[in-house]
């Protein structure tokens, strides 16, 4: 699969971390073969994570992340450290870059303990190795300035990343039989991008085609006519979650029905955890705060599902006066304590590593979490039906 064929969320993410002036940015430039990151002798030159897609053979497309220093100081410095921590959430393979002249420092040792606790694959790299006689045996000697060890670093990264790409992960085709059609219901509203389907719809359609399964795509307004055209019932109907209520009425009970969001919950997250979280909708009380989190940063328009529709549906379903907070993109609290419930989008723009990290934060702090699809199915009384094709 080529670089342009793979969406960012499906690529292995390799993050470079370390103290200021350890040479992270110089090493990233050496690995990518491009002047991706600004390089300077001034400590703290990298102020925000920088990412670049590249081919790492024989793995294929990967995303390289350059991050701010773990030892940054001051009010702004602490914000930059938090950005590095956020980058770690999406990192599949971590590279700790250590200044070989200084050796391991307390920040490096603390970071290594965190990687061990999270059981995240990592390499310890001693940069500026050309300036010292030797480096510790458990690390890789490299020099971004001379090129020493850069090839070996790429080989080591490929060895760690390759197992992450070996097992094929499927959205839906492992639930289906060849030769029988599937219907995809894709509403086109004001929030829909002009001239294209949204990523969950694209990804599902492509997987169906790759596995030789015919797909019929329609809006909810043409669903009844589409079903009437088929000579036999489809083996599955997959709908956008916000059309669940109408689609459930139009699709006969004998035809399996689910949503793109529920399929993504299974694909990238923890479906059992999210289903359990949907049950918390019944226990919401007046004054409770609900966090609604989007993985992408699209411009929110009138009728936006996260900012407008979900809050309205929640108020109507619970009959309670609720408070709402919203996050988007890379923003997500490490400690979600204080929220009665977290409702996350399907996470199509997030890699599985980051999605699991967000769910783990909720689990660790005892905060119920669900996603758009499971929550909407629960509110419409059709969650058991929406889960039936997956069980």
């Amino acid at each position: 699969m080529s670089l342009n064929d793979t969406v960012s969320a499906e690529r292995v993410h390799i993050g470079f971390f370390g103290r200021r002036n350890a040479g992270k940015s110089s090493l990233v430039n050496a690995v990518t073969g491009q002047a991706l990151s600004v390089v300077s002798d001034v400590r703290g030159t990298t102020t925000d994570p920088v990412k670049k897609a590249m081919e790492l053979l024989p793995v294929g497309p990967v995303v390289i992340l350059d991050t701010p220093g773990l030892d940054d100081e001051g009010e702004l410095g602490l914000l930059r450290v938090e950005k590095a921590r956020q980058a770690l959430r999406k990192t599949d393979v971590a590279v700790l870059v250590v200044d070989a002249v200084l050796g391991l420092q307390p920040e490096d040792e603390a970071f290594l303990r965190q990687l061990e606790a999270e059981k995240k694959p990592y390499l310890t790299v001693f940069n500026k190795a050309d300036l010292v006689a030797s480096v510790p045996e458990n690390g890789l000697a490299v020099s971004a300035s001379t090129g020493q060890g850069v090839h070996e670093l790429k080989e080591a990264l490929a060895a760690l990343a390759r197992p992450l790409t070996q097992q094929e992960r499927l959205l839906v085709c492992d639930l289906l039989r060849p030769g029988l059609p599937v219907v995809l219901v894709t509403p086109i509203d004001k929030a829909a991008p002009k001239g294209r389907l949204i990523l969950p719809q694209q990804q599902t359609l492509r997987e169906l085609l790759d596995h030789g399964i015919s797909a019929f795509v329609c809006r909810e307004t043409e669903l009844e006519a589409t079903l009437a055209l088929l000579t036999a019932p489809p083996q599955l109907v997959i709908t956008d979650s916000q059309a669940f209520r109408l689609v459930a009425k139009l699709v006969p009970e004998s035809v399996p029905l689910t949503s793109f969001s529920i399929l993504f919950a299974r694909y990238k997250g923890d479906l059992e955890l999210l289903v359990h979280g949907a049950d918390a909708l019944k226990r919401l009380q007046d004054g409770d705060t609900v966090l609604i989190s989007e993985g992408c940063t699209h411009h929110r328009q009138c009728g936006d599902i996260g900012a407008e529709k979900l809050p309205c549906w929640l108020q109507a379903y619970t009959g309670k006066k609720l408070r709402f907070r919203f996050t988007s993109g890379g923003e997500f609290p490490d400690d979600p304590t204080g929220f009665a419930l977290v409702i996350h989008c399907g996470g199509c723009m997030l890699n599985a590593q980051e999605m699991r990290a967000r769910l783990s934060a909720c689990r660790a702090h005892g905060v119920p979490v669900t996603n758009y699809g499971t929550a909407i199915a629960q509110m419409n009384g059709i969650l058991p039906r929406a889960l039936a094709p997956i069980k």
Side-chain angles (χ1 to χ4, degrees):
M1 185 172 283
S2 74
L3 187 63
N4 292 330
D5 289 335
T6 309
V7 297
S8 176
E10 296 300 310
R11 299 170 184 161
V12 173
H13 284 53
I14 300 173
F16 285 69
F17 302 87
R19 300 174 77 247
R20 291 171 293 171
N21 267 27
K24 300 183 300 296
S25 298
S26 297
L27 197 53
V28 164
N29 288 347
V31 168
T32 61
Q34 301 177 43
L36 168 64
S37 300
V38 175
V39 175
S40 167
D41 290 333
V42 177
R43 288 162 60 85
T45 299
T46 302
T47 58
D48 288 289
V50 178
K51 67 178 182 178
K52 174 65 179 178
M54 68 170 285
E55 289 274 358
L56 180 65
L57 299 177
V59 175
V62 299
V63 174
I64 301 293
L65 299 168
D66 184 16
T67 63
L70 297 173
D71 63 329
D72 216 331
E73 301 169 328
E75 187 175 347
L76 287 177
L78 292 178
L79 293 176
R80 290 194 282 265
V81 171
E82 177 56 29
K83 289 292 184 181
R85 299 290 181 193
Q86 289 178 3
L88 182 61
R89 287 203 301 245
K90 68 182 71 174
T91 297
D92 296 296
V93 176
V95 180
L96 174 62
V97 182
V98 179
D99 186 329
V101 176
L102 298 177
L104 284 169
Q105 298 296 303
E107 295 86 358
D108 300 320
E109 293 168 344
F111 189 70
L112 287 173
R113 288 193 295 270
Q114 182 177 355
L115 295 177
E116 291 284 355
E118 295 182 7
K119 299 180 180 178
K120 195 183 291 284
Y122 70 89
L123 291 172
T124 303
V125 172
F126 288 85
N127 190 29
K128 309 178 187 178
D130 55 312
L131 303 179
V132 298
S134 64
V135 303
E137 292 182 1
N138 62 344
L140 185 63
V142 300
S143 171
S145 61
T146 68
Q148 173 190 344
V150 171
H151 175 74
E152 290 77 8
L153 172 57
K154 290 183 180 180
E155 293 288 314
L157 288 173
L160 285 178
R162 194 171 188 185
L164 303 177
T165 64
Q166 294 298 295
Q167 186 174 0
E168 185 181 28
R169 292 164 52 237
L170 295 175
L171 258 173
V172 66
C173 283
D174 57 321
L175 306 173
L176 303 174
R177 292 171 291 166
L180 298 174
V182 170
V183 174
L184 307 181
V185 183
T186 61
I188 306 297
D189 58 17
K190 292 180 181 178
K194 187 175 181 180
R196 63 180 176 86
L197 299 175
I198 61 175
L199 186 56
Q201 298 162 1
Q202 293 179 42
Q203 198 167 332
T204 304
L205 179 58
R206 177 58 189 264
E207 184 179 299
L208 292 170
L209 296 176
D210 284 344
H211 286 80
I213 297 174
S214 298
F216 292 81
V217 184
C218 66
R219 299 180 298 181
E220 74 280 18
T221 48
E222 285 78 49
L223 175 59
E224 197 168 14
T226 300
L227 293 173
L229 287 173
L230 300 177
T231 56
Q235 62 176 316
L236 181 63
V237 174
I238 307 171
T239 182
D240 188 283
S241 299
Q242 60 186 311
F244 244 147
R245 181 190 292 271
L246 174 61
V247 172
K249 291 179 180 177
L250 295 177
V251 176
E253 287 284 345
S254 58
V255 175
L257 169 68
T258 193
S259 76
F260 296 102
S261 185
I262 288 176
L263 290 176
F264 266 82
R266 168 180 176 260
Y267 179 66
K268 288 192 176 182
D270 182 334
L271 181 58
E272 184 177 354
L273 178 69
L274 297 172
V275 170
H276 181 73
D279 194 58
L281 289 165
K282 301 181 231 178
R283 300 190 295 273
L284 291 173
Q285 300 297 320
D286 286 329
D288 280 348
T289 303
V290 177
L291 173 63
I292 297 178
S293 186
E294 294 255 3
C296 60
T297 55
H298 68 267
H299 173 63
R300 288 174 174 166
Q301 299 174 296
C302 179
D304 183 85
I305 183 170
E308 292 193 13
K309 291 181 179 178
L310 268 175
C312 289
W313 292 337
L314 284 166
Q315 304 268 28
Y317 175 76
T318 63
K320 307 296 182 182
K321 294 181 180 179
L322 304 173
R323 299 189 180 105
F324 297 94
R325 262 198 59 196
F326 305 91
T327 63
S328 61
E331 298 176 0
F332 192 84
D334 289 326
D335 182 356
T337 302
F339 295 110
L341 177 65
V342 174
I343 305 180
H344 206 288
C345 70
C348 65
M349 297 299 292
L350 304 177
N351 66 343
Q353 185 71 245
E354 180 162 11
M355 196 70 233
R356 287 194 294 267
R358 294 184 177 198
L359 298 183
S360 294
C362 294
R363 185 191 293 109
H365 292 90
V367 177
V369 57
T370 188
N371 81 347
Y372 287 13
T374 49
I376 294 170
Q378 173 75 13
M379 288 187 283
N380 284 288
I382 57 171
L383 185 54
R385 183 183 180 186
L387 294 173
I390 296 170
K391 292 183 176 179

